[in-house]
Amino acid sequence: MTDSAPPLIEAVGLCKYYGAFTAVQDVSFAVPQGSVTAFLGPNGAGKSTTMKMLTGFLAPSAGTASIAGIDVDSDRIAAACQLGYLPENGPLYPEMTPAQQLAYAGRVHGLSPARLKDALDRVASSCRIDEVWHKPIRKLSKGFRQRVGLAQAILHDPKVLILDEPTAGLDPNQIQLVRDLIKSLAKDKTVLLSTHILQEVEAIADRVILISEGKLRFSGTPAELAAGGSLEARFRELTKGVAA
Ligand code: ADP
């Protein structure tokens, strides 16, 4: 990570209102190049909503989001080229095999046949999905499905990865595989991943952004968040005991 490099993910004054309800209020942060940043908060804190605004899937009520310096709202396609997004319950077609799903996603990204073949070989091995390559996605375990979702997110080799609860619902072995995969992807990508699990922060992140009830509560390193005490105590203090 270099301090002088521009942030690859930036939120400035992001707000999202659903009628009279405020889901996200004036959230600003920057994710530095080369970091793995945990986007931490209790359930319902506004993590998914913020991620959807960062990735251009949801228009902000106010504020701006940029990826690699590109404004997501005004130039969504250019921003999307720099970005891989794993939404909660990733958009996989259950009747397709990983081979079909990923070939389809590659064509949507406009990869040429030669680049697509290289990309498919690369993600099949890096995401360790070769063994299920020709099985219908509906027959795969949640762990394999999540790795197919990750493969789809990195197919076009983006600089930035935004992952919404990538280990949710996985068993401990599957969690370890996905965490290892994220760590290896982070060698040449900037990663923002949402979680409500403190162990995830300790296991994987070098930065933390904490939100609760739609508001930014903390941005810094895990050690700064713990501030000489425990992450759990500070999490409780900053979220005022909002149930996770
Ligand atoms: P998180 O990802 O942190 O669990 P979300 O971003 O999914 O939180 O949700 C934040 C808040 O916004 C929650 O109270 C949720 O119920 C509410 N919310 C999310 N989407 C909608 C929607 N489409 N309409 C109304 N409220 C919503």
Side-chain angles (χ1 to χ4, degrees):
M1 190 174 90
T2 53
D3 285 341
S4 56
L8 280 190
I9 306 172
E10 192 165 26
V12 179
L14 281 182
C15 299
K16 186 69 194 177
Y17 311 121
Y18 291 112
F21 177 72
T22 302
V24 173
Q25 190 178 352
D26 197 19
V27 165
S28 299
F29 58 79
V31 175
Q33 192 169 337
S35 69
V36 177
T37 299
F39 194 32
L40 179 66
N43 285 325
K47 302 183 295 296
S48 290
T49 305
T50 303
M51 287 184 147
K52 284 180 196 157
M53 292 191 281
L54 289 172
T55 52
F57 281 79
L58 193 63
S61 306
T64 57
S66 62
I67 299 294
I70 302 162
D71 184 89
V72 173
D73 203 35
S74 60
D75 206 350
R76 186 178 167 192
I77 307 262
C81 290
Q82 308 291 334
L83 173 72
Y85 175 39
L86 178 71
E88 226 178 354
N89 310 312
L92 301 177
Y93 293 99
E95 297 310 320
M96 283 189 182
T97 64
Q100 293 165 331
Q101 167 90 40
L102 296 170
Y104 171 73
R107 286 193 292 273
V108 169
H109 277 297
L111 300 184
S112 66
R115 274 193 68 202
L116 178 60
K117 187 184 175 309
D118 286 349
L120 293 173
D121 289 346
R122 172 173 53 82
V123 300
S125 98
S126 67
C127 296
R128 297 174 61 183
I129 49 176
D130 325 55
E131 66 187 91
V132 297
W133 197 241
H134 295 296
K135 271 194 182 174
I137 287 168
R138 72 182 150 77
K139 291 198 174 165
L140 303 186
S141 67
K142 171 104 183 154
F144 272 117
R145 282 205 299 272
Q146 203 63 328
R147 271 143 56 202
V148 176
L150 273 168
Q152 181 161 282
I154 62 167
L155 198 60
H156 57 304
D157 202 16
K159 285 186 199 156
V160 176
L161 280 180
I162 295 188
L163 312 174
D164 198 347
E165 305 239 4
T167 62
L170 303 186
D171 70 36
N173 296 333
Q174 295 169 332
I175 288 174
Q176 195 54 51
L177 266 170
V178 168
R179 283 183 186 162
D180 289 346
L181 176 55
I182 292 167
K183 279 189 207 160
S184 84
L185 292 172
K187 285 180 195 143
D188 66 349
K189 300 187 191 305
T190 298
V191 181
L192 178 69
L193 66 104
S194 68
T195 183
H196 59 271
I197 304 163
L198 291 166
Q199 292 93 309
E200 192 109 307
V201 177
E202 288 168 324
I204 213 167
D206 48 41
R207 309 275 312 169
V208 196
I209 294 163
L210 172 62
I211 66 167
S212 178
E213 297 177 311
K215 294 190 190 135
L216 186 81
R217 308 292 182 180
F218 174 85
S219 176
T221 66
E224 286 164 353
L225 176 58
S230 75
L231 279 180
E232 190 176 338
R234 285 281 282 159
F235 180 87
R236 284 185 195 287
E237 181 194 325
L238 292 169
T239 60
K240 300 193 183 77
V242 173

